[in-house]
Structure formats: structure tokens, C-alpha cells
Amino acid sequence: MNSVVRIPQGDDTVKVELTVKEIMALAGYKFHNNHLLEVSARKKLNHALEGQYQIEDKRTLN
């Protein structure tokens, strides 16, 4: 099933401050002693999206 997702203003830029470790965690590096790095980074990204745009539920984008 192919579906086209259209996101208004999808090419806008959003600024989010992440630490180098958070970026590495999102890029796939594993920090076995600190899983919270990826969680923290994802929360910052979600907060930035929700703060700038009215996104109800990310699962409805399909």
C-alpha cells in the first residue's frame, strides 16, 4: 500500500539544542550505561514539534 504524506510547511526549519551524546544516540550509537540519552533527545524533538506546530497524533500522518 503506497500512500503519500503531505505535510504543510514541511520544509521549514526548527532549531533544537542537543548534546553531542544525544545526537550520537539518535544516530544509532549505543550507550549501554545510559539509555536516557536517546529518550531525552526524542523528548526535545517532540517538544519542539509540538511547540511550533499543531500535531495531534504522529500515527495519523500515514
Side-chain angles (χ1 to χ4, degrees), residues 6-47:
R6 299 194 191 280
I7 302 172
Q9 304 163 335
D11 292 329
D12 287 358
T13 60
V14 177
K15 293 185 180 188
V16 179
E17 283 193 36
L18 299 173
T19 66
V20 173
K21 287 183 179 180
E22 288 171 332
I23 293 169
M24 291 175 71
L26 290 176
Y29 289 87
K30 301 296 180 194
F31 292 88
H32 298 289
N33 296 334
N34 195 352
H35 172 69
L36 295 179
L37 283 170
E38 185 175 358
V39 173
S40 171
R42 289 190 184 279
K43 282 184 181 179
K44 288 180 182 180
L45 293 176
N46 287 332
H47 181 72

